[in-house]
Amino acid sequence: MTAREEKPSERPFTHSKSVLCEKEMRKLALPHDVLMQIEKPARYIGGEYNSYNKNMDETEVNVVFCFPDVYDIGTANLGMQIIYEQFNRRPDAYCDRVYSPWPDLDKIMRERHIPLFGVESQRPIKDFSYLMITLSYEMCYTNVLQVLDLSGIPLLSRDRREDDPIVIGGGSCAYNPEPIADFFDAFNIGESEVTLDRIVDVEKEARKNGLTRLQRLEMIAQIPGFYVPAFYKPSYNDDGTLKAFEPVNPHAPRTVKRQVAAQMDGSLPYPKHPLVPFSRGMMDRATLEVMRGCIRGCRFCQAGMIYRPTRNRDLQTLKDWAVEMLESSGYEELNLSSLATSDYTDFASFLDFIMPYCEERKINIGIPSLRIDAFSLDVMSKIQDIKKSSLTFAPEAGSQRLRDIINKGLTEEAILSGAREAFLGGWNKVKLYFMLGQPFETDEDVKAIPVLSDLIAREYYDAIPKSERNGRVNVQASTSFFVPKPFTPFQWAPMMRPEEFIRRAMLVKDGMKEQLNRKSLSYHYHNDLQTELEGVFARGDRRIGKAILMAYENGCMYDAWSDQMKYDVWMECFNKCGISLDFYNYRERSEDELFPWDFIDIGVTKAFLKREWKAAKEGRVTPNCRERCSGCGARCYQGGVCFEDQV
Ligand code: SF4
């Protein structure tokens, strides 16, 4: 069955074929001639299979949810799909969607003064009470301004009027909201499943009692997990570091506590009827999140800290959801997502159920984040076409010394034996991911990347007799550049300068040429200039906002797309705004420095992060949560791996 075939559904509000026909006749926000001249017009017309299509005028509260990048990427975002489901499953709420118009449409909308609109209702964004924007990566910040601008909403929250939507940000970048604090009325810190329903309550009360915008924001500031930037004031020391960060409104708490769904049970909202876009999305598949968080404590990884504690989803729930998602969408691929899927406790039992189901129906299974061990290889051999596919390892560092510093929890022996098993299993393509510029990295650590790549290639030639080889082994190494992130043990670390990144990349490149099996090796490194911007945004403070605004006003947009990013414009804006890259990126922060994000309590304590920073300096490894609890603080959420022993 293909995704475009109709299937009956029992879900309330889901469209039927006749509703779709009605929708096809509705007035679209973009005139026909515009739709005919832009790339992929299906990005802007809504009406996707499994979209809710409720009547906005018949619900009490309406929100529009934005993914500030192009539709093709936004529709695949799981967080967005969860929120879309969460609001729309309530009879009293309406949730539309909006994405960044691609530059071709952006230009036309400005020329013709067409206001930005929700794809489902085709109504202007300004008609909604709330505009919620998910912030999955820092490089989307100018796209946030594009969305506000095209919607006719003042870019600065202080300029907004009573009838403008309240603009709320969320997602992983909300864990340091300060660089974009001026553009948002509020931020949601934590998991939407346990916070966003409260917004519906606020709005109902606001309507009943005729509350002003300020009163609504004061109510929002009192909801656990919400932060209203206008109610706080930062002050700075002479050296530019943060001196204090104080609430200036009596309704604003001193600390904003991240909210977490302690139990990941079947009652939580989930897109069991996932949207099926008309145009092929970046990820044309159903996504099943098997667990949240990660038991391992890689010291560079923000997700590994801000989603603690690790929580498994219930096995029976996953079985039911998988079947419902596939049957309701017709998708031909099921993606099992999480930060480390093979750490899901009931993984084997789930696979015993889902593999025969998918095999019978010719549905592919994708598992993007597996650790390479014998069990995982066995699984991969059953779900992949070995001849066509490549295996991915992420050693992150070439030497054991540096892998211990970053707490990767992976020995060279495990990497090589994993590779050997894979080659014996029939694979002959391997992708290796490394990061350059991690704290305390030396040239020797960098040179160890080609050496390790070569050792992996050598495993192939040792393990597979010449007569049985399917050509040469193909080992593709790629490196990205390390960016220190808030709420990680490396939040104190200096970043490397672009020229140093390039020098190290060249060391890897030259090293590849010196290896015995060099013809089997290839190397690619990622853009260093975007990394520099990402560094400023990741650990910046409220003073960064003026540079973001200036860059947007000077044509910056879609900075996450390397062919769109205007590096020189950004550097000029930083200069004009007095933003020093030395200050934000290239200095080591002292352990007693107050950070712009310290007012957020994520459960994991700063004391734990400091201990981990010290352990990194000493090259000490910290065991994972299942081996031994290290007392990170996330136990306060009363759920997940912290309580597994007691079950
Ligand atoms: S409290 Fe212990 S078990 Fe729980 S997340 Fe932290 S380190 Fe892991």
Side-chain angles (χ1 to χ4, degrees), residues 133 173 187 200 210 293 488 510 523 528:
I133 305 180
C173 295
F187 288 93
V200 179
T488 66
D510 294 343
Y523 173 58
D528 56 307

Side-chain angles (χ1 to χ4, degrees), residues 29 56 64 115-118 121-128 151 165:
M56 182 167 157
V64 57
L116 188 58
F117 52 90
S121 65
Q122 298 283 307
R123 303 246 298 246
I125 301 302
K126 281 197 64 157
D127 284 3
F128 290 82
S151 302

Side-chain angles (χ1 to χ4, degrees), residues 295 308-310 608 624-625 628-635 641-642:
I295 59 168
R308 284 188 174 210
T310 305
F608 170 77
N624 74 51
C625 292
R628 195 191 75 205
C629 171
S630 303
C632 75
R635 193 179 163 88
V641 67
C642 320

Side-chain angles (χ1 to χ4, degrees), residues 108-121:
I108 296 172
M109 291 177 84
R110 288 172 200 271
E111 282 167 4
R112 298 210 196 172
H113 306 289
I114 301 171
L116 188 58
F117 52 90
V119 293
E120 204 155 310
S121 65

Side-chain angles (χ1 to χ4, degrees), residues 149-211:
D149 203 6
L150 290 176
S151 302
I153 299 170
L155 302 184
L156 297 170
S157 66
R158 64 168 177 263
D159 296 336
R160 289 183 195 139
R161 297 144 300 207
E162 281 298 323
D163 60 348
D164 283 318
I166 288 184
V167 182
I168 301 180
S172 59
C173 295
Y175 286 83
N176 177 19
E178 285 307 277
I180 42 172
D182 291 343
F183 313 127
F184 282 85
D185 300 307
F187 288 93
N188 170 34
I189 314 291
E191 296 172 355
S192 63
E193 291 100 328
V194 289
T195 54
L196 288 186
D197 285 333
R198 299 288 304 275
I199 290 293
V200 179
D201 303 337
V202 167
E203 189 54 22
K204 281 182 176 177
E205 194 166 333
R207 287 183 183 207
K208 195 166 119 208
N209 300 322
L211 299 186

